[in-house]
Amino acid sequence: MEKKEFKKSDFYFDLPQELIAQDPLEERSNSRLLLLNKATGETEHHIFHEINDYLQPGDCLVLNDTKVIPARLMGIREDTGASVEVLLLKRRQNDIWETLVKPGKKARPGMKLVFGDGVLKAEVLEIVDEGNRLIQFSYEGIFEEVLDKLGEMPLPPYITHKLNDRNRYQTVYAKYEGSAAAPTAGLHFTRALLEQIEKKGVEIAYVTLHVGLGTFRPVKAENILEHHMHSEYYQVSKEAAQKINKAKESGHRVICVGTTSCRTIESAADENGKLTECCGDTEIFIYPGYRFKVLDALITNFHLPESTLLMLVSALAGRENVLCAYEEAIRERYRFFSFGDAMFIC
């Protein structure tokens, strides 16, 4: 299918600063929910815990069970004592991580860093893609335990408030550690709501995609086809593949919770939309013109202007429909981004 050349500016919208949610709601499932009919562009307004009314027995709900690690480390340079911030992006091998270092220009190979009065030490090994640094850590004990003591949750830069409970930047079903950011569409679910959904006869399939910061990197090229997506590791179990295939074969919907679940199953599926047990790295970039092989509907948050995530939802529901729905959400004072409200594109 021929793809129209879209410009980055085609996905711009003007968002009042005060609509960027700074804190999670006290009750996860009390977020607002905007329903968008992808065929007609019609919208409805609901509360998130009413989502079950719009799911059908036999549907398959796909959730990303990745767990965010406290990936932000604040330390000092061993030689000068200057402050340094390190964000863990991806474990390359054992104690070698690909990281984002701030300030970055002076972080040259050989530079040594100290965290938590020497409980954790590190050395910059090399500079890789996009100016990221490969860093080798040294410590005593178990790295995850050291990180749990010293690390902070890597909240997006548009969230300026301190997060008092780090579990609120974690889904209730988070299981496998490895993400530098939360799959935020899943933050609206409670265990009780998931139980209600299962009781209705909806299948729940868990897949894993470790969310890297590449998802949130701004698109710099005006021609979006020139944008390069960063790779992220994903895994689909045999059980999840069977549940998703069964829903498709029986004429029911596959509904992804979040763009990360969507990117996982679209990457893992063969040409006929069939899934098998698999794992790998994906650089899939979904934008208008893309033909979905598996996904039928999507539960997602409201995304940044000109972002790859906004392009993905536009591929599903049409750019004009999505931007009109966003305008309506702004008029209705919805809360935007990671701790914000939700949208069900169906």
Side-chain angles (χ1 to χ4, degrees):
M1 181 178 183
E2 191 180 341
K3 292 178 175 145
K4 177 188 167 186
E5 278 199 11
F6 279 103
K7 300 195 293 290
K8 179 177 72 166
S9 53
D10 290 332
F11 300 90
Y12 179 79
F13 64 93
D14 196 22
L15 181 71
Q17 193 78 12
E18 68 269 17
L19 294 186
I20 299 173
Q22 291 296 325
D23 304 287
L25 291 183
E26 198 168 321
E27 175 58 39
R28 288 175 184 262
S29 61
N30 279 352
S31 299
R32 294 165 78 186
L33 177 69
L34 189 149
L35 253 65
L36 172 62
N37 183 311
K38 65 180 194 258
T40 65
E42 289 175 9
T43 56
E44 293 178 23
H45 302 281
H46 298 275
I47 303 297
F48 191 83
H49 57 69
E50 296 168 354
I51 189 78
N52 204 13
D53 298 341
Y54 299 93
L55 304 176
Q56 305 298 329
D59 285 345
C60 183
L61 197 64
V62 184
L63 305 176
N64 180 7
D65 60 9
T66 188
K67 194 169 190 177
V68 185
I69 58 173
R72 179 170 279 126
L73 288 163
M74 310 304 291
I76 58 169
R77 287 181 55 166
E78 194 177 71
D79 54 354
T80 66
S83 295
V84 175
E85 178 185 326
V86 172
L87 191 62
L88 305 180
L89 299 179
K90 187 187 287 187
R91 183 180 237 142
R92 287 292 190 91
Q93 58 186 73
N94 299 328
D95 296 322
I96 297 174
W97 285 76
E98 184 174 339
T99 68
L100 190 64
V101 179
K102 293 180 188 174
K105 284 183 181 172
K106 294 179 180 175
R108 298 187 184 97
M111 187 176 92
K112 293 189 169 143
L113 308 171
V114 180
F115 307 90
D117 298 324
V119 173
L120 181 65
K121 293 185 175 180
E123 181 179 347
V124 177
L125 299 181
E126 63 177 284
I127 301 170
V128 291
D129 292 348
E130 296 285 337
N132 293 345
R133 266 62 175 173
L134 283 192
I135 284 184
Q136 178 147 28
F137 289 97
S138 56
Y139 51 90
E140 285 186 12
I142 298 166
F143 183 73
E144 285 72 19
E145 289 179 4
V146 174
L147 192 61
D148 207 44
K149 284 180 190 152
L150 300 181
E152 298 172 14
M153 278 309 210
L155 295 179
Y158 50 76
I159 294 176
T160 57
H161 291 191
K162 187 168 173 58
L163 182 64
N164 294 320
D165 177 4
R166 63 164 65 170
N167 284 327
R168 293 310 309 274
Y169 193 58
Q170 206 79 271
T171 62
V172 297
Y173 48 82
K175 191 172 183 182
Y176 299 108
E177 293 189 330
S179 276
T184 54
L187 296 178
H188 306 283
F189 287 91
T190 61
R191 287 191 176 87
L193 181 55
L194 288 168
E195 282 171 18
Q196 288 169 23
I197 288 168
E198 283 191 292
K199 274 183 189 164
K200 189 169 185 176
V202 175
E203 287 282 3
I204 295 182
Y206 291 98
V207 298
T208 307
L209 181 137
H210 291 321
V211 189
L213 287 191
T215 305
F216 305 104
R217 277 192 190 276
V219 176
K220 290 176 182 169
E222 184 55 23
N223 177 358
I224 68 168
L225 300 186
E226 293 170 15
H227 178 70
H228 173 66
M229 291 287 283
H230 284 65
S231 75
E232 293 169 311
Y233 176 81
Y234 71 88
Q235 192 162 3
V236 177
S237 67
K238 184 178 179 183
E239 182 189 12
Q242 287 173 341
K243 285 181 176 181
I244 293 164
N245 289 339
K246 182 183 171 188
K248 292 301 280 187
E249 286 161 10
S250 58
H252 294 290
R253 295 176 301 173
V254 172
I255 301 163
C256 284
V257 175
T259 56
T260 61
S261 302
C262 164
R263 293 177 69 244
T264 300
I265 64 169
E266 290 296 316
S267 299
D270 67 16
E271 293 306 307
N272 302 313
K274 276 273 171 63
L275 286 157
T276 52
E277 180 180 6
C278 62
C279 64
D281 292 298
T282 180
E283 295 180 348
I284 192 169
F285 179 17
I286 296 174
Y287 52 87
Y290 179 85
R291 278 197 179 159
F292 289 89
K293 295 181 283 187
V294 190
L295 175 135
D296 298 298
L298 179 69
I299 296 168
T300 187
N301 277 19
F302 291 90
H303 304 294
L304 277 76
E306 301 185 333
S307 64
T308 59
L309 305 180
L310 185 58
M311 293 168 193
L312 185 153
V313 296
S314 297
L316 180 62
R319 187 183 70 95
E320 292 81 5
N321 286 348
V322 168
L323 290 178
C324 284
Y326 270 51
E327 278 177 27
E328 188 173 339
I330 290 167
R331 280 196 305 274
E332 297 290 331
R333 312 296 288 173
Y334 272 65
R335 301 161 74 249
F336 274 66
F337 305 161
S338 294
F339 286 142
D341 295 316
M343 193 177 202
F344 183 26
I345 303 172
C346 53

